[in-house]
Amino acid sequence: MKHTRHLLRLTGTGPTRDKAFADAMARVRQAAGERTTGVCFRVEPVDLEVVEAVEHRWRERFLGLLFARTRSRFSLTLRIEVRVAALDLDAVDFTVREERLTPLQHALRMR
């Protein structure tokens, strides 16, 4: 088992602030897994910093003139430091157990 730390910069977007944050946090495991050798089994956020938080607003109208409404979309960029616990499967010694079947046993197991 090996512990490493990574500094990730992730962006999330969504129709609300909560969904933008959830979108960014959903990308943490994948981004940490790309930077780690082996199989990640634990990803712990250690530190979080908001780099940029933007609310995009615009007005739209139905058919260009009716039912005006203001729409918004949130974008959030985070810098997250994570601690990753990973297992290097190449270092694990697997024992080989070979099974020999009789022709009858082989025929019975085939479907």
Side-chain angles (χ1 to χ4, degrees), residues 3-108:
H3 293 281
T4 57
R5 285 183 177 244
H6 299 289
L7 191 60
L8 307 173
R9 186 180 173 107
L10 302 169
T11 303
T13 59
T16 64
R17 292 179 177 133
D18 295 338
K19 296 216 180 193
F21 181 75
D23 185 43
M25 292 305 288
R27 299 169 196 256
V28 170
R29 184 166 181 84
Q30 179 185 4
E34 291 172 357
R35 294 180 183 210
T36 305
T37 58
V39 178
C40 291
F41 63 88
R42 184 183 324 140
V43 178
E44 262 180 80
V46 176
D47 190 26
L48 182 125
E49 178 187 344
V50 177
V51 176
E52 184 179 45
V54 179
E55 179 182 0
H56 302 279
R57 284 190 192 164
W58 68 94
R59 267 181 95 68
E60 66 180 22
R61 296 173 184 264
F62 180 69
L63 295 176
L65 129 108
L66 303 172
F67 309 116
R69 68 178 177 172
T70 302
R71 302 280 312 263
S72 61
R73 184 136 187 96
F74 294 88
S75 175
L76 189 65
T77 303
L78 303 174
R79 184 178 294 130
I80 303 171
E81 183 179 356
V82 293
R83 189 176 123 172
V84 179
L87 178 65
D88 186 16
L89 289 179
D90 294 334
V92 176
D93 291 330
F94 286 91
T95 58
V96 178
R97 293 186 183 164
E98 194 170 315
E99 185 177 324
R100 296 200 182 256
L101 301 175
T102 65
L104 179 62
Q105 289 173 329
H106 184 67
L108 290 174

